[in-house]
Amino acid sequence: MSEESQGFGAAIWETVKTIFWALLIAGVFRTLFFQPFWIPSSSMKDTLLIGDFLFVNKMSYGYSYASCPNIKIARFGVDIDASDICGFLDGDNTRLFGSEPKQGDVVVFRHPVTHQDYIKRLVGLPGDKVQMKGGVLYLNDEPVKIEEAGPFTEVKEPQGPEGRFPRCTNDPVGEDGVCVKQRQIETLPNGVAHSMLNIQPNEDLDDTKAFTVPEGHFFFMGDNRDNSLDSRVLQTSFGVGMVPFENLIGRADRVMFSSAGRSMLFFWTWRSDRFFKAID
C-alpha cells in the first residue's frame, strides 16, 4: 500500500473518530444536562410562542428513563424511543437524584401514552384537588387569584411549520387582521404569577369534574387555556391525564431565541425581543 493510500485511510479514520466522539459528547450532554426544545403549538401562549427555542434543564428534577433522548429521523426511518435506550429504568416511577417540581414550573414531560414530548405548566401536586369552574382554576376547593391584564393581540396569519391560524376572541377575522384574546394574570397558592389567555367563554374545558392528583403524579395545564390538550382530558393518545413523576424531562427556564417564520433557520424572522427571555 502506498504512503498516499495510507495517509488517506488515516485521515478517514480520524474523521470517523472525531464524529464518534462528537456524537457521544453531544448525547451525554443532551441526556444529563440540557435538551433543546422548539415550541410547535400555541398551547402555552403568551408565555411561550410558536417558534420559541429553548433548552430544558434536565438537572432540575433528577433522572429517569425519560431523560434519555428520542431519536427520530423520518427521512431515514430512524425512530428510537427513550424507552428503547433506557427502558430498564422505567416502571417504578422513581428518579435518580430526584427533586420535586414546584407548582407553577413550566415543564417538559413525556406523554404517558404517545411518548411525545409536551410542555405545560404544573398546577396540581400529589394530593391536590383540581377543578375548573367557569374558566377559573380551583385548587383544593379555593379559586386562584385572577387579575385582568389587558388584551393579547397578534396578526391572523399562518404560524409555524404547520401553518395554522390562531383562534381569536373577535373571530371571524380575515387574514392579516388583528386577532384579539383576553389576557389575565393567574397567581397560584405558592405565589407564582403567570399570564394566561382566554379565547371564548364556556369552552368545553372551562368546567370540569374535580380531579384528585394521585401520589407520584402531577396535573398540567397550558397557559392558553382554550387551546390546550392537558391533564383536564383523560389519558389517551389524545389527552394527557395525570403525568407520572418518572415522565418529567426537565424545567424550561429561558427562551434562547424565537423565530416567527416556518423554520428556526430563517434568521430574518427571529423575534428580537425574545432573546434570552426568562420564562415566568
Side-chain angles (χ1 to χ4, degrees):
M1 182 180 294
S2 67
E3 290 185 5
E4 183 178 347
S5 296
Q6 289 178 338
F8 179 74
I12 292 294
W13 176 238
E14 286 300 319
T15 300
V16 170
K17 288 196 296 183
T18 299
I19 293 174
F20 170 78
W21 285 112
L23 291 175
L24 181 63
I25 292 170
V28 170
F29 182 86
R30 179 170 175 173
T31 299
L32 297 180
F33 302 111
F34 297 96
Q35 175 176 316
F37 193 87
W38 192 41
I39 302 300
S41 75
S42 62
S43 69
M44 283 295 293
K45 283 182 180 177
D46 66 326
T47 304
L48 296 171
L49 304 181
I50 295 175
D52 281 353
F53 181 83
L54 50 89
F55 282 102
V56 180
N57 185 350
K58 288 192 166 186
M59 298 176 284
S60 304
Y61 312 128
Y63 303 96
S64 70
Y65 89 96
S67 302
C68 284
N70 289 326
I71 304 174
K72 298 180 184 293
I73 310 175
R75 181 179 299 178
F76 300 105
V78 176
D79 187 1
I80 302 174
D81 188 77
S83 59
D84 297 329
I85 305 171
C86 297
F88 64 94
L89 297 173
D90 188 12
D92 58 1
N93 202 24
T94 60
R95 305 181 73 88
L96 183 65
F97 309 123
S99 176
E100 290 284 332
K102 296 181 177 60
Q103 199 171 52
D105 282 359
V106 176
V107 179
V108 173
F109 58 88
R110 185 141 296 141
H111 190 289
V113 176
T114 67
H115 299 162
Q116 291 180 307
D117 292 348
Y118 276 44
I119 186 166
K120 306 286 182 186
R121 189 177 299 276
L122 192 158
V123 298
L125 299 171
D128 280 345
K129 180 180 176 182
V130 184
Q131 187 173 14
M132 293 293 293
K133 297 180 182 180
V136 176
L137 172 63
Y138 281 68
L139 292 173
N140 301 314
D141 296 318
E142 294 292 333
V144 300
K145 180 182 177 182
I146 293 177
E147 301 172 272
E148 296 299 326
F152 170 79
T153 61
E154 59 186 336
V155 177
K156 186 73 174 277
E157 62 183 359
Q159 298 182 344
E162 297 178 356
R164 293 184 180 180
F165 286 88
R167 294 176 60 201
C168 316
T169 301
N170 58 328
D171 273 330
V173 178
E175 187 169 355
D176 297 325
V178 177
C179 177
V180 179
K181 298 177 181 66
Q182 180 187 13
R183 176 164 46 191
Q184 299 169 316
I185 301 298
E186 180 179 80
T187 303
L188 298 172
N190 64 349
V192 172
H194 66 93
S195 174
M196 67 171 188
L197 301 183
N198 181 35
I199 302 173
Q200 297 290 347
N202 304 318
E203 290 277 317
D204 290 343
L205 295 178
D206 280 348
D207 292 278
T208 70
K209 69 175 187 178
F211 302 92
T212 299
V213 185
E215 188 65 31
H217 291 71
F218 300 92
F219 195 101
F220 290 92
M221 293 175 63
D223 289 349
N224 190 1
R225 291 287 162 82
D226 293 340
N227 205 56
S228 175
L229 291 176
D230 46 44
S231 294
R232 293 172 291 176
V233 183
L234 294 179
Q235 190 177 103
T236 61
S237 58
F238 186 69
V240 172
M242 307 294 174
V243 179
F245 187 31
E246 67 180 352
N247 281 49
L248 307 191
I249 295 173
R251 187 180 66 230
D253 295 322
R254 190 172 297 273
V255 174
M256 303 308 293
F257 66 87
S258 182
S259 171
R262 299 295 295 270
S263 169
M264 64 181 178
L265 299 179
F266 295 172
F267 62 87
W268 57 91
T269 66
W270 289 3
R271 302 176 176 108
S272 59
D273 61 334
R274 296 189 70 79
F275 282 96
F276 309 113
K277 180 178 175 62
I279 298 173
D280 298 323

